[in-house]
């Protein structure tokens, strides 16, 4: 008779292959990027809508009272605040930008009564100082103007500065009868001011030049970052155009 076949030894399980570690650097999350990096990227990627005329070239010779950047060199349209109204007690319901600003400049409608700003500088300055006023003539801003500025920031893809929130919080803090300054509104307002102050300092390291968007200035020509109170003192000295 044939000898029985020896049983086959069980095959050892194959060890799983170790996954190769990626040598690529992890992508920086949005939260890890500073606000000015986001603003610079937004300005670099921003393109004017088809058919848009760079109307702010007609503002040549004037500059933003905060950044001191020539208005005609801004890569995006400036934001305007009405300098004077027929009724001093009536505040404007909105800011001046977009098609309304282009029409106002092209038709030369009260151009001299509008204070033009680099919108990102204006938003950061207002919130960081905690004073929602026109930096040129110290006129109180309306909630509508603050909302317009937020819409302007969003339309251009810049990081939110929360100007309207700052307006509402400032009113809430002012109307609080308690002497304590640690309430929710005051805490939130302080946080917004810190974020905006950091943004403003970064903005002074990046200038809006030509069509190249926000670009870093050469170190040798870069002045020390101005503090909000310094900008305010400069703004106070600027007289309203006649």
């Amino acid at each position: 008779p044939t000898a029985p076949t020896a049983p086959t030894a069980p095959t050892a399980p194959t060890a799983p292959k170790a996954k190769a570690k990626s040598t690529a650097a992890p992508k920086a999350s949005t939260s890890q990027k500073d606000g000015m990096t986001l603003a610079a990227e937004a300005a670099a990627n921003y393109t004017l809508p088809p058919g848009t005329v760079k109307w702010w070239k007609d503002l040549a010779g004037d500059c933003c009272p905060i950044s001191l950047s020539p208005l005609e060199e801004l890569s995006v349209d400036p934001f305007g605040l009405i300098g004077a109204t027929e009724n001093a007690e009536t505040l404007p319901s909105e800011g001046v930008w977009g098609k309304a600003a282009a029409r106002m400049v092209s038709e030369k409608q009260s151009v001299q009564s509008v204070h033009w700003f680099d919108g990102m500088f204006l938003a950061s300055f207002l919130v960081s100082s905690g004073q929602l006023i026109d930096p040129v003539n110290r006129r109180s801003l309306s909630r509508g103007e603050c909302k317009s500025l937020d819409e302007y920031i969003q339309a251009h893809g810049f990081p939110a500065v929360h100007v309207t929130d700052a307006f509402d919080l400032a009113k809430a803090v002012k109307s609080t009868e308690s002497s304590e300054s640690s309430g929710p509104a005051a805490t939130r307002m302080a946080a917004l001011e810190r974020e905006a102050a950091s943004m403003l300092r970064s903005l002074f390291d990046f200038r809006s030049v030509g069509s190249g968007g926000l670009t870093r200035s050469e170190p040798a020509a870069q002045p020390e970052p101005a503090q909000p109170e310094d900008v305010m003192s400069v703004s106070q000295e600027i007289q309203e155009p006649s």
Side-chain angles (χ1 to χ4, degrees), residues 185-205:
T187 301
R188 173 60 175 157
M189 186 66 187
L192 287 180
E193 289 178 0
R194 288 193 299 270
E195 293 172 4
S198 177
M199 176 73 74
L200 186 60
R201 286 192 294 270
S202 297
L203 279 167
F204 276 106
D205 289 335

Side-chain angles (χ1 to χ4, degrees), residues 3-24:
T5 305
T8 304
T11 305
T14 304
K17 294 182 179 180
K19 294 183 179 180
K21 293 184 178 180
S22 175
T23 57

Side-chain angles (χ1 to χ4, degrees), residues 85 87-94 139-143 145:
T85 57
N87 186 348
E89 298 181 356
T90 303
L91 297 177
S93 60
E94 59 185 359
R139 171 183 66 79
S140 296
L141 301 185
S142 68
R143 190 178 190 278
E145 288 177 301

Side-chain angles (χ1 to χ4, degrees), residues 31-179:
S31 60
Q32 292 175 322
K33 294 182 178 181
D34 62 88
M36 199 54 238
T37 299
L38 295 176
E41 291 177 354
N45 297 327
Y46 181 82
T47 56
L48 295 174
T52 301
V53 178
K54 198 172 180 180
W55 54 266
W56 53 100
K57 285 187 175 181
D58 292 339
L59 300 176
D62 201 356
C63 66
C64 170
I66 301 174
S67 69
L68 302 183
S69 299
L71 294 176
E72 71 273 16
E73 295 182 2
L74 297 180
S75 58
V76 298
D77 52 309
F79 185 89
L81 294 174
I82 300 297
T85 57
E86 295 180 359
N87 186 348
E89 298 181 356
T90 303
L91 297 177
S93 60
E94 59 185 359
V96 184
W97 68 284
K99 293 182 180 180
R103 182 170 58 254
M104 180 177 289
V105 173
S106 64
E107 297 176 1
K108 301 186 182 304
Q109 299 177 354
S110 304
V111 174
Q112 295 299 321
S113 66
V114 178
H115 301 152
W116 299 102
F117 300 86
D118 182 316
M120 197 62 191
F121 272 88
L122 175 62
S124 300
F125 172 72
L126 293 177
V127 179
S128 65
S129 66
Q131 300 185 53
L132 285 304
I133 60 176
D134 184 332
V136 176
N137 61 6
R138 301 183 65 82
R139 171 183 66 79
S140 296
L141 301 185
S142 68
R143 190 178 190 278
E145 288 177 301
C146 295
K147 184 178 180 181
S148 289
L149 186 51
D150 278 334
E151 293 171 349
Y152 166 94
I153 296 296
Q154 182 180 19
H156 292 85
F158 292 124
V161 188
H162 307 289
V163 185
T164 309
D165 287 347
F167 180 91
D168 293 339
L169 289 169
K171 289 190 66 176
V173 171
K174 186 177 181 180
S175 63
T176 301
E177 297 180 356
S178 173
S179 60

